[in-house]
Amino acid sequence: MIGKNDDSKSLSQWLSIGELAERSDVSVPAIRFYEEKELIWSTRTVGNQRRYQRAMLRRIAIIKVAQQVGISLQQVKDAFSVLPKHDVATKQDWQKMSQKWQAQLDQHIIRLLQLRQQLDKCIGCGCLSLKQCPLRNPEDQFAQESAGAHFQDVLTTLLNQDAIEAKTLDDEL
């Protein structure tokens, strides 16, 4: 808890909820929501007002960027789990988080690239048939398994074929 007798240098490390919202360009309710989800934390003053360490600005910046690229708050929370709880993370702590999160981000990028590849193939195909689409359901091979999309393996195969074709073209040039 922050008291009245704390020195001014110590107090400058703390932000009110309004200051944090303004500096991070998110709403006050969003700050409360992030705190409720345990992505950030605060302490209370003697007057029961929330105060946030300036270090929460970095956490909120990461949250915002993650959300912009489609990463869930749960994934952000999982990544933050390697950081110290209720303490300011050091450079080494952030590096540890980055290394842990990198493999997950790489997988996310691969899934997005596969989606992009699938869309290009389907848009250019023109078959307009979900039953006969060679990309989504080659020769209707998944009909007995279940309804829904089953194109992960097909996409991987197509991506590998495209990579081989691209390498062959590069070699020929």
Side-chain angles (χ1 to χ4, degrees), residues 56-72:
M56 294 305 108
L57 290 167
R58 179 175 293 183
R59 284 179 173 248
I60 292 172
I62 290 170
I63 293 166
K64 287 174 61 177
V65 170
Q67 287 181 307
Q68 289 171 354
V69 296
I71 297 171
S72 73

Side-chain angles (χ1 to χ4, degrees), residues 83-96:
L83 300 174
K85 297 235 184 268
H86 302 286
D87 200 3
V88 176
T90 65
K91 181 178 179 179
Q92 291 78 22
D93 294 328
W94 285 109
Q95 287 173 336
K96 183 178 175 183

Side-chain angles (χ1 to χ4, degrees), residues 156-173:
T156 302
T157 302
L158 288 172
L159 287 171
N160 289 338
Q161 288 173 351
D162 286 349
I164 292 169
E165 289 172 10
K167 183 170 178 4
T168 304
L169 285 174
D170 287 345
D171 290 343
E172 289 175 359
L173 296 175

Side-chain angles (χ1 to χ4, degrees), residues 114-122 135-136 151 155:
Q114 289 171 337
L115 174 62
R116 183 183 71 189
Q117 183 73 18
Q118 185 255 344
L119 289 174
D120 287 348
K121 298 264 186 229
C122 284
L135 181 62
R136 293 186 57 94
F151 54 83
L155 283 175

Side-chain angles (χ1 to χ4, degrees), residues 1-19:
M1 187 172 295
I2 302 172
K4 292 179 182 179
N5 295 330
D6 291 329
D7 64 28
S8 63
K9 183 178 179 188
S10 170
L11 289 176
S12 69
Q13 297 300 311
W14 297 91
L15 302 169
S16 70
I17 193 167
E19 291 168 330

